[in-house]
Amino acid sequence: SAVISQKPSRDICQRGTSLTIQCQVDSQVTMMFWYRQQPGQSLTLIATANQGSEATYESGFVIDKFPISRPNLTFSTLTVSNMSPEDSSIYLCSVAGGGPRYEQYFGPGTRLTVT
Amino acid sequence: AQSVAQPEDQVNVAEGNPLTVKCTYSVSGNPYLFWYVQYPNRGLQFLLKYITGDNLVKGSYGFEAEFNKSQTSFHLKKPSALVSDSALYFCAVRDYSTYSGGGADGLTFGKGTHLIIQP
């Protein structure tokens, strides 16, 4: 399985500011995803990060709030823009092979607190 | 649309006893099913998956799961629980019939079940 790292591991941010989270994988992967997990709760898919094109967002998530970049097959960023306390959550990067049979592997997460 | 239900918020089992964590799913096509475990302050770890073939799949740490198409279930099991199995367990599904090869093909997760193994 791929080794996935995320930066930062945690941060405390002021309301109205933005934070960019980085996800680095130690090998080329076909699929990269971003999830949100509120403390003690389930994971919700934010978007699929597409290499060389715009990300595909799930219902309820928009590009202006969560812009995503994926410049190559090993790296992606998620920005949480104009943050509010409701954005306090754990943000997880995930990778998978290019077919539906592949399991996803998850990074350690970024714990974000907005004050 | 696809969905996953984990009907129990918490399951308590005595060490050495068998354990079951329940999961049911809903998809319009064919399901690919997954179990993940999350230990405190750690990331999600993949346990096992059902893709096709034998309905009983074996995974990491002695866990197994049984796919039951008629009951749309994929319960996680272990014959003898360990205290170290205590964690948060997630069931997830991907509907193969909606897989596009690109775009939004992530997993849909259940809400999770806290498994507590008592010494």
Side-chain angles (χ1 to χ4, degrees):
Chain A
S1 63
V3 176
I4 307 165
S5 60
Q6 287 185 232
K7 291 181 181 179
S9 58
R10 59 177 63 224
D11 206 342
I12 301 173
C13 300
Q14 298 287 327
R15 181 196 300 259
T17 63
S18 297
L19 176 71
T20 295
I21 302 168
Q22 298 179 3
C23 176
Q24 180 72 57
V25 190
D26 70 341
S27 59
Q28 294 186 345
V29 292
T30 305
M31 306 297 291
M32 293 184 79
F33 306 91
W34 287 97
Y35 287 81
R36 182 170 71 183
Q37 183 184 22
Q38 295 181 311
Q41 298 191 26
S42 187
L43 284 78
T44 301
L45 179 64
I46 297 172
T48 302
N50 300 310
Q51 195 262 330
S53 65
E54 191 172 286
T56 305
Y57 290 85
E58 292 296 295
S59 175
F61 297 96
V62 295
I63 187 171
D64 290 347
K65 176 67 175 178
F66 296 101
I68 288 171
S69 77
R70 189 179 175 190
N72 56 54
L73 294 176
T74 63
F75 185 78
S76 178
T77 66
L78 168 74
T79 299
V80 186
S81 303
N82 188 25
M83 288 184 284
S84 67
E86 292 71 36
D87 294 320
S88 297
S89 192
I90 299 171
Y91 292 85
L92 295 156
C93 173
S94 177
V95 305
R101 294 170 173 256
Y102 288 93
E103 60 272 21
Q104 292 182 357
Y105 291 94
F106 288 81
T110 295
R111 185 180 293 269
L112 171 62
T113 302
V114 183
T115 60
Chain B
Q2 56 200 38
S3 65
V4 175
Q6 293 182 242
E8 302 154 318
D9 290 334
Q10 183 170 304
V11 171
N12 295 282
V13 178
E15 186 176 27
N17 283 0
L19 69 87
T20 298
V21 182
K22 295 179 180 178
C23 171
T24 59
Y25 65 90
S26 175
V27 297
S28 57
N30 299 309
Y32 288 166
L33 294 153
F34 305 81
W35 274 102
Y36 286 83
V37 59
Q38 187 174 42
Y39 297 100
N41 299 314
R42 293 173 63 178
L44 264 73
Q45 297 180 28
F46 168 72
L47 275 179
L48 51 79
K49 65 180 177 182
Y50 171 80
I51 301 300
T52 188
D54 194 347
N55 289 342
L56 183 66
V57 294
K58 296 186 183 296
S60 306
Y61 311 121
F63 284 94
E64 57 189 28
E66 185 167 13
F67 172 66
N68 187 316
K69 187 173 183 178
S70 63
Q71 297 185 5
T72 62
S73 67
F74 189 56
H75 301 331
L76 182 70
K77 300 181 180 183
K78 187 173 182 181
S80 179
L82 300 172
V83 172
S84 57
D85 293 329
S86 298
L88 181 58
Y89 290 80
F90 290 99
C91 182
V93 69
R94 177 183 290 130
D95 185 345
Y96 175 61
S97 65
T98 63
Y99 181 72
S100 66
D105 294 306
L107 296 172
T108 297
F109 283 83
K111 66 188 174 115
T113 299
H114 289 274
L115 177 63
I116 299 175
I117 309 301
Q118 295 153 333

